[in-house]
């Protein structure tokens, strides 16, 4: 058995707000509606049942933008948003729908392009919030990953030694070693994992520089304690 919460609207029509498995839950919702109506925060459930594909033209009719911006908006809507979410009623669009769309787009678009698409969708849904068709914008707080950055290449000990060997003075090689050590000392506190990732290549650099400097008559002693 299902328990429906029904109410009479100001125009005299009767509509169903929600359906519940337990009578107690239906009673609670009915009391919540009484409070929302008293505070003028009640949202007519009929307004959010319009599909996104039908709401977009309504949004377009009053939204103002330049011709170039409109061209970009309509492209995002036609190619990326409406094919996936267009048939869904506004009230049925959930945060997971947005995140799933963003992940799918991220497989074929740059992060910036994905962010632009979600931005357009967010504007459309935010207007539905302002029009009191849905209680909140499911796009709010969605973060678009910037992608995985390629690891920065590191010179080998042999490459570092070759760089030092090209210096005209042995002391120049020592200056390179000092500069690398200074860079390692600038790793901010609290970024221990970053420091560990940096230490491996730095050890290679220092080992190569020690050898290269020694070959040119400069002995460099590093305290590893």
């Amino acid at each position: 058995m299902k328990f429906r919460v029904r109410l009479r609207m100001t125009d005299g029509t009767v509509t169903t707000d929600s359906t519940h498995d337990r009578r107690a839950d239906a009673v609670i919702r009915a009391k919540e509606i009484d409070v929302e109506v008293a505070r003028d925060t009640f949202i007519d459930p009929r307004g959010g049942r319009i599909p996104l594909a039908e709401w977009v033209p309504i949004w377009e009719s009053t939204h103002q933008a330049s011709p170039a911006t409109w061209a970009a908006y309509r492209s995002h809507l036609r190619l990326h948003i409406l094919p996936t979410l267009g048939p869904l009623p506004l009230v049925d669009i959930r945060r997971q729908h947005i995140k799933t769309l963003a992940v799918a787009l991220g497989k074929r678009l740059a992060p910036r392009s994905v962010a632009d698409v979600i931005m357009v969708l967010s504007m459309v849904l935010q207007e539905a919030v302002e029009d009191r068709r849905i209680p909140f914008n499911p796009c709010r707080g969605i973060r678009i990953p910037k992608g995985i950055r390629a690891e920065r290449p590191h010179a080998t000990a042999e490459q570092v030694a070759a760089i030092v060997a090209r210096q005209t003075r042995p002391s120049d090689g020592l200056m390179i070693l000092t500069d690398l050590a200074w860079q390692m000392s600038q790793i901010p506190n609290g970024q221990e994992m970053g420091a560990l990732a940096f230490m491996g290549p730095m050890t290679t650099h220092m080992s190569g520089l020690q050898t290269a400097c020694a070959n040119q008559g400069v002995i460099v002693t590093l305290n590893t304690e």
Side-chain angles (χ1 to χ4, degrees), residues 105-123:
L105 292 176
K107 296 179 179 179
R108 51 193 174 89
L109 299 178
R112 177 57 185 272
S113 297
V114 177
D116 288 344
V117 172
I118 301 302
M119 180 269 293
V120 173
L121 177 57
S122 181
M123 286 195 302

Side-chain angles (χ1 to χ4, degrees), residues 5 8 19 32 50 65 67-68 77 81 106 126 145 163 172 177-178:
V5 178
R8 186 176 299 277
T19 303
E32 290 176 344
I50 180 175
L77 288 164
I81 298 173
Q126 184 58 39
I163 293 173
D172 291 339
L177 175 62
T178 303

Side-chain angles (χ1 to χ4, degrees), residues 142-213:
I142 297 291
R143 300 185 62 181
I144 307 302
K146 296 182 179 180
I148 301 175
R149 295 182 179 179
E151 183 180 358
R152 181 181 298 177
H154 300 289
T156 63
E158 292 74 15
Q159 291 171 329
V160 174
I163 293 173
V164 174
R166 291 199 296 268
Q167 307 306 312
T168 57
R169 297 176 301 173
S171 59
D172 291 339
L174 181 59
M175 291 178 64
I176 295 175
L177 175 62
T178 303
D179 179 64
L180 290 174
W182 178 84
Q183 291 184 43
M184 186 167 62
S185 71
Q186 299 306 302
I187 296 176
N189 294 332
Q191 296 187 10
E192 291 80 4
M193 295 305 296
L196 290 175
F198 195 59
M199 282 295 292
M202 285 299 299
T203 302
T204 301
H205 294 332
M206 291 183 175
S207 175
L209 283 167
Q210 279 184 295
T211 302
C213 290

Side-chain angles (χ1 to χ4, degrees), residues 91-110:
V91 293
D92 290 344
I93 298 177
R94 299 288 183 261
R95 181 180 177 86
Q96 285 303 315
H97 288 113
I98 313 301
K99 296 178 70 174
T100 299
L101 174 63
V103 170
L105 292 176
K107 296 179 179 179
R108 51 193 174 89
L109 299 178

